[in-house]
């Protein structure tokens, strides 16, 4: 009996020790889980802080870019305002020093330029034809604000609206209108003409009023400044 009680006692002690170990393990596991959760929370908080810092940096950079853009716009506006103010001051000074004849000549010049293209010398000549003095006409041409290259271009396009020209022929016509060679070349280079098509139109125009042989028509077109290839194209497109 005594041995059995000792055995039972030993068994009870073993069970008690086993339960204590389990409790300890569970407590350790709980502590470990708590530590892991706290570490995960700390990492998430750091990540959120880093994202917020990045967002703030991006917003700051964007604000700086907007500020720089606004500064540039203001600077450009200031430059434009300054230029306009200088032009206005110059015009005021001109108005104060100009004679009545010069101011009237200037108004006439601006009126002409509103519906027709002129070269510098052509405009002076036109104003003199209107009986302004040479000095008044020159004053008007100097102060009318015309871009003579653009005037040459407008004149070239106007000629092409009602008559066919070769490249060289149109330059020659603009020079006859007293544009400089440089101005005339600018006008012809930028007028957008197809010189083959101009040769076709010129050949057709000649054939409308007069009979030509093939070679005679080609020769006439070459005389007008078309290249041999352009002249041949013009003749062929008109039946030769």
């Amino acid at each position: 009996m005594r041995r059995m009680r000792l055995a039972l006692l030993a068994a009870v002690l073993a069970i008690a020790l086993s339960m204590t170990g389990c409790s300890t393990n569970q407590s350790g596991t709980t502590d470990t889980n708590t530590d892991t959760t706290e570490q995960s929370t700390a990492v998430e908080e750091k990540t959120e802080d880093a994202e917020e810092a990045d967002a703030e940096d991006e917003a700051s950079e964007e604000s700086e870019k907007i500020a720089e853009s606004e500064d540039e716009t203001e600077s450009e506006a200031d430059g434009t305002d300054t230029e306009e103010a200088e032009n206005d001051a110059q015009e005021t000074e001109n108005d104060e020093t100009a004679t009545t004849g010069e101011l009237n000549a200037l108004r006439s010049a601006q009126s002409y330029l509103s519906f027709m293209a002129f070269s510098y010398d052509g405009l002076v000549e036109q104003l003199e034809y209107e009986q302004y003095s040479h000095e008044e006409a020159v004053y008007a041409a100097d102060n009318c604000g015309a871009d003579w290259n653009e005037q040459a271009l407008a004149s070239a396009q106007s000629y092409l609206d009602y008559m066919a020209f070769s490249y060289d022929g149109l330059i020659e016509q603009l020079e006859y209108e007293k544009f400089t060679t440089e101005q005339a070349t600018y006008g012809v280079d930028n007028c957008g003409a197809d010189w083959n098509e101009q040769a076709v139109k010129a050949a057709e125009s000649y054939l409308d009023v007069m009979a030509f042989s093939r070679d005679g028509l080609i020769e006439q077109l070459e005389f007008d400044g078309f290249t041999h290839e352009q002249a041949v194209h013009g003749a062929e497109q008109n039946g030769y």
Side-chain angles (χ1 to χ4, degrees):
M1 287 293 291
R2 187 177 181 180
R3 287 181 180 176
M4 289 179 63
R5 287 177 180 174
L6 290 172
L8 288 170
L9 183 58
V12 170
L13 289 172
I15 292 169
L17 289 172
S18 174
M19 292 178 66
T20 302
C22 287
S23 175
T24 302
N25 288 339
Q26 290 174 355
S27 176
T29 302
T30 301
D31 293 341
T32 301
N33 290 337
T34 300
D35 293 342
T36 302
T37 301
E38 291 176 351
Q39 290 175 358
S40 176
T41 301
V43 169
E44 289 176 357
E45 290 176 350
K46 289 181 180 179
T47 302
E48 290 176 357
D49 291 342
E51 290 176 351
E52 289 177 358
D54 290 341
E56 290 176 357
D57 290 341
E58 290 178 0
S60 177
E61 290 178 1
E62 187 65 25
S63 297
E64 289 176 359
K65 289 180 181 178
I66 292 172
E68 289 176 359
S69 177
E70 290 176 349
D71 289 342
E72 290 176 359
T73 301
E74 289 177 0
S75 177
E76 290 175 358
D78 291 342
T80 301
D81 291 342
T82 300
E83 184 177 347
E84 290 178 353
E86 290 175 353
N87 289 338
D88 290 341
Q90 183 64 42
E91 289 178 2
T92 301
E93 182 180 347
N94 288 340
D95 289 346
E96 291 176 351
T97 59
T99 66
T100 300
E102 288 171 339
L103 292 177
N104 283 326
L106 176 58
R107 282 192 283 271
S108 291
Q110 291 169 334
S111 176
Y112 277 121
L113 292 170
S114 68
F115 64 87
M116 186 174 179
F118 281 88
S119 65
Y120 178 93
D121 289 342
L123 184 57
V124 169
E125 184 177 290
Q126 179 62 35
L127 293 171
E128 289 178 338
Y129 178 79
E130 298 294 333
Q131 299 187 0
Y132 288 105
S133 70
H134 179 73
E135 291 74 17
E136 291 167 344
V138 168
Y139 172 88
D142 285 341
N143 292 279
C144 66
D147 180 328
W148 305 113
N149 278 334
E150 291 303 314
Q151 289 294 308
L153 173 57
S155 185
Q157 292 171 330
S158 177
Y159 276 118
L160 291 171
D161 284 341
Y162 63 87
M163 186 174 180
F165 281 88
S166 66
Y167 180 91
D168 289 342
L170 187 52
I171 288 179
E172 184 177 325
Q173 180 62 38
L174 293 176
E175 289 177 336
Y176 178 79
E177 298 294 336
K178 300 190 176 179
F179 288 102
T180 67
T181 300
E182 292 75 15
Q183 292 163 356
T185 300
Y186 175 88
V188 176
D189 283 342
N190 292 279
C191 67
D194 181 328
W195 304 114
N196 278 330
E197 289 305 309
Q198 290 296 309
V200 172
K201 291 179 180 179
E204 182 180 5
S205 178
Y206 277 122
L207 291 170
D208 282 344
V209 296
M210 185 176 179
F212 280 87
S213 66
R214 181 180 187 278
D215 289 346
L217 182 58
I218 291 173
E219 183 178 331
Q220 180 61 47
L221 293 174
E222 289 177 339
F223 178 80
D224 288 340
F226 290 102
T227 66
H228 180 71
E229 291 75 14
Q230 292 165 355
V232 169
H233 177 80
E236 289 178 345
Q237 294 300 309
N238 280 279
Y240 274 119

